[in-house]
Amino acid sequence: MIQDKQIIFAPAKLNIFLKVINKRKDSYHNIRSCITFINLYDKIEITKSPNTNIYYKGPFKDNYEDCIIKKTLNFLKLKNNINLRITITKNIPVQGGLGSASTNAAALIRGLEKMKIINKSKIED
C-alpha cells in the first residue's frame, strides 16, 4: 500500500579528502573520497498529489534550472501515473561544497522507497 506522505532530512556532508583517479569514457570521473555528515539538513517533503510539482523554500531557495530532483524523477521513470508534490526546504547553502544536491537526490529515493512507490533493489539492477 502506497503511503500518502513522507518527510526525509538530507544531511550536509563534508569531504575529508577527494582524489580524482581518472576520467571515464562517459566524461565522468572515478574518485576516491572520505566524507562525514554534519548537523545541518535540508527537509524533503513528498506528498501524493494530482500533479507533479517541485517547490523550493527556506533560506537558500533558488530557481533551480538544473534541478537534481527533476533529474532523479526522470531517471526513476515512475509508473502508474504517480504524481507528487515535492517541497524542499533549503537550509544547506547551494554550491557551498556541502553536497546538498546529492543528499537531496538520495533523500528523495529513500522517501519514495518508504512510501512504497519504488523498490531500490530494482533500481540497482
Side-chain angles (χ1 to χ4, degrees), residues 3 69 73:
Q3 295 180 11
I69 300 299
L73 290 173

mmCIF file of all heavy atoms in Angstrom, residues 3 69 73:
data_model
loop_
_atom_site.group_PDB
_atom_site.id
_atom_site.type_symbol
_atom_site.label_atom_id
_atom_site.label_comp_id
_atom_site.label_asym_id
_atom_site.label_seq_id
_atom_site.Cartn_x
_atom_site.Cartn_y
_atom_site.Cartn_z
ATOM 1 N N GLN A 3 1.998 4.882 0.791
ATOM 2 C CA GLN A 3 1.737 5.903 1.796
ATOM 3 C C GLN A 3 1.520 7.240 1.102
ATOM 4 O O GLN A 3 2.010 7.460 0.002
ATOM 5 C CB GLN A 3 2.919 6.006 2.752
ATOM 6 C CG GLN A 3 3.146 4.770 3.574
ATOM 7 C CD GLN A 3 4.343 4.946 4.497
ATOM 8 O OE1 GLN A 3 4.885 6.029 4.675
ATOM 9 N NE2 GLN A 3 4.771 3.849 5.096
ATOM 10 N N ILE A 69 16.312 17.071 -8.438
ATOM 11 C CA ILE A 69 15.090 16.329 -8.111
ATOM 12 C C ILE A 69 14.370 15.918 -9.395
ATOM 13 O O ILE A 69 13.935 14.775 -9.541
ATOM 14 C CB ILE A 69 14.181 17.161 -7.176
ATOM 15 C CG1 ILE A 69 14.907 17.480 -5.860
ATOM 16 C CG2 ILE A 69 12.868 16.458 -6.913
ATOM 17 C CD1 ILE A 69 15.332 16.277 -5.030
ATOM 18 N N LEU A 73 13.739 12.087 -10.669
ATOM 19 C CA LEU A 73 12.415 11.570 -11.042
ATOM 20 C C LEU A 73 12.419 11.034 -12.471
ATOM 21 O O LEU A 73 11.844 9.974 -12.743
ATOM 22 C CB LEU A 73 11.348 12.655 -10.886
ATOM 23 C CG LEU A 73 11.006 13.057 -9.458
ATOM 24 C CD1 LEU A 73 10.070 14.263 -9.460
ATOM 25 C CD2 LEU A 73 10.392 11.900 -8.685
#
